Amino acid sequence: MQEIGQVPGATDGADFRRALKDHYGVTLKRFLKTFPIFAVMCVSLFVTKSEYLIPLAIIGMFGSLITAVGCYARLSLIWRCSRVFRAYPVAFRGPIEKMNLERYARSRLRLRFGEPADQSTTMLAKSALGRYGWPAGIEDGVWFAGDDPFGGVAIVPSTGELLFMQPSEWMLLAEERESAGEARIEQARRAGIRKAVSYR
C-alpha cells in the first residue's frame, strides 16, 4: 500500500465541502514536503557550478517534474469531484460489493453498490489522493453523488476519502445514457461526467 499522507478523517455526506478542503490540504502539504527538496537538488548545480553535482541535478529535475505532475493530477481529480458535488445531491449507498483491484492499475477499484445478487452498475473507482487498495470500512457503504450510468463521486464515511467513479463498462451503457432524458444528460454535463474521463 502506497502511503501518501494522512487521510482526511471520518465524515458524512453532508460535509463534502470539508472533505474537498481536506483533500486539497493533504495534496498541497505532500507537494510542499517533497518538491522543494528536488528543486534544491536541481538548483545546486547552477549555484556551485560543480560538475560533480550533475547527477544530483538530474535526479532533482526528474523528481521535480514527477512531483509537479502528480500534484496536478490529484488537484485535477479533486476539482472534478467538486463539480459532481455541485451538480448532484448526496445519498447513502450500501453495502458495497468489493470485486477486485484493476490488474494494470492498482489504484483503481472495481466495485458494485448493493448485495452481490444485485445487478447494479459495476464501477471503477479511483482515490482522489492516489492511494492504493481499499479504504477501511468501504464495504459498509458510501455517500454517493452522481448518476450510475454516468458515474459520480463517493465519500467513504470511516476515512473521509473521496473516490471518483465511472461505470467499468462505459461503452455498454451508451444507450442507457442517451435515453436518460434531457434533464439527466444536462445534469451530467454540468457535473463533468457526460463523457468518459481519462485518469490513471
Side-chain angles (χ1 to χ4, degrees):
M1 174 105 142
Q2 185 192 41
E3 188 56 51
I4 68 162
Q6 184 68 34
V7 295
T11 188
D12 61 34
D15 205 10
F16 68 83
R17 287 180 185 83
R18 193 196 91 186
L20 289 167
K21 182 180 175 184
D22 288 347
H23 277 68
Y24 280 123
V26 168
T27 301
L28 291 172
K29 279 179 191 172
R30 182 176 184 243
F31 175 76
L32 293 173
K33 225 163 121 179
T34 55
F35 184 81
I37 296 169
F38 289 121
V40 167
M41 291 167 69
C42 200
V43 170
S44 63
L45 174 66
F46 301 100
V47 172
T48 64
K49 297 182 179 172
S50 170
E51 293 182 3
Y52 295 110
L53 293 179
I54 289 176
L56 193 67
I58 292 171
I59 292 170
M61 183 178 67
F62 282 109
S64 297
L65 184 63
I66 291 168
T67 303
V69 169
C71 181
Y72 173 79
R74 284 191 263 291
L75 290 175
S76 178
L77 197 57
I78 297 167
W79 177 77
R80 286 189 179 279
C81 291
S82 72
R83 282 190 69 181
V84 175
F85 283 128
R86 288 196 301 269
Y88 289 98
V90 180
F92 189 78
R93 301 278 298 273
I96 297 294
E97 180 189 355
K98 297 194 291 188
M99 300 181 77
N100 64 324
L101 299 174
E102 279 292 277
R103 187 174 178 184
Y104 300 109
R106 294 179 298 152
S107 61
R108 282 198 246 174
L109 314 170
R110 189 182 293 268
L111 56 86
R112 188 160 46 208
F113 297 119
E115 299 294 342
D118 187 10
Q119 294 304 307
S120 62
T121 305
T122 301
M123 296 284 192
L124 276 183
K126 180 174 176 61
S127 167
L129 291 176
R131 294 173 63 86
Y132 294 162
W134 295 99
I138 190 174
E139 61 277 359
D140 298 326
V142 296
W143 293 96
F144 180 75
D147 190 345
D148 287 14
F150 297 96
V153 178
I155 303 176
V156 182
S158 58
T159 65
E161 290 179 70
L162 294 177
L163 300 175
F164 184 80
M165 297 183 175
Q166 291 185 297
S168 60
E169 303 295 341
W170 180 265
M171 295 303 294
L172 293 180
L173 294 175
E175 189 176 335
E176 189 174 343
R177 285 191 296 274
E178 292 303 322
S179 62
E182 287 185 22
R184 285 174 66 193
I185 291 172
E186 173 58 21
Q187 192 174 23
R189 188 196 63 74
R190 283 190 287 108
I193 54 175
R194 173 70 182 87
K195 296 179 180 178
V197 176
S198 176
Y199 55 84
R200 295 186 179 277

